[in-house]
Amino acid sequence: MKLHDLVPNVGAKKKPKRKGLGIAAGQGKTAGRGTKGEGARSGTGGNVYRQGGNLPFYRRLPFMRGEGFTPPNQVTYNEVNLEQLDRFPAGTEVTPELLAQAGMLHKNSNPVVVLGRGEISRVLTIKVQRISKGAQAKIEAAGGKVELIG
């Protein structure tokens, strides 16, 4: 095979549609650009910062004060403290489902984190998505177990 034998596949190279060549062509007169307005003019869409009458983003920045800057993949946890878990009887397996039934979660679809405020005096098995080190130490000191679930 030589360089002069190389050709593109059939149909890979199409001639561009020739617009604005009279009304019979189907793309004449306004050539698909509509009537008047920014999109009908030549040279549109060149300025990245133009926002069509809004104050440009980079000029609004000092005044935005947190609007629109929430991290998109931020996780919001249901916080449960040890003093709240002390209401369950000894030997209970505490899961997010059990906490939801007890009405202790703000939003059932969010994961659960156990925090270390308060004391725990019962032996419990805790199965949650996250737990603080202090809370884990207090639960294990009381004879309980901690399992992290995904």
Side-chain angles (χ1 to χ4, degrees):
M1 178 178 277
K2 298 207 164 68
L3 280 177
H4 66 271
D5 294 330
L6 291 174
V7 290
N9 293 332
V10 177
K13 303 284 272 182
K14 284 180 70 176
K15 295 220 179 230
K17 183 178 277 194
R18 297 176 67 206
K19 295 181 177 180
L21 297 181
I23 56 170
Q27 285 287 329
K29 192 174 174 253
T30 54
R33 287 172 166 263
T35 311
K36 299 186 182 176
E38 187 184 25
R41 318 281 189 227
S42 64
T44 58
N47 187 350
V48 178
Y49 300 108
R50 182 160 171 1
Q51 293 186 13
N54 292 337
L55 191 65
F57 181 70
Y58 67 94
R59 285 185 56 201
R60 275 184 289 159
L61 273 179
F63 303 102
M64 289 189 74
R65 291 189 175 74
E67 304 165 18
F69 288 102
T70 306
N73 48 5
Q74 169 178 299
V75 179
T76 306
Y77 285 91
N78 287 305
E79 297 175 356
V80 178
N81 278 292
L82 287 181
E83 61 190 15
Q84 295 170 277
L85 295 179
D86 214 25
R87 71 165 77 166
F88 294 111
T92 306
E93 185 177 278
V94 179
T95 62
E97 293 78 29
L98 180 70
L99 294 171
Q101 285 173 2
M104 296 170 69
L105 302 184
H106 179 68
K107 190 172 180 185
N108 294 346
S109 59
N110 287 349
V112 177
V113 58
V114 176
L115 303 176
R117 188 175 75 198
E119 296 299 322
I120 190 160
S121 57
R122 301 176 188 186
V123 178
L124 299 174
T125 303
I126 314 285
K127 291 186 175 183
V128 290
Q129 284 85 357
R130 198 170 137 201
I131 189 165
S132 70
K133 288 181 182 174
Q136 185 168 357
K138 288 179 182 179
I139 290 167
E140 289 170 353
K145 285 196 312 185
V146 174
E147 291 181 39
L148 295 179
I149 57 178

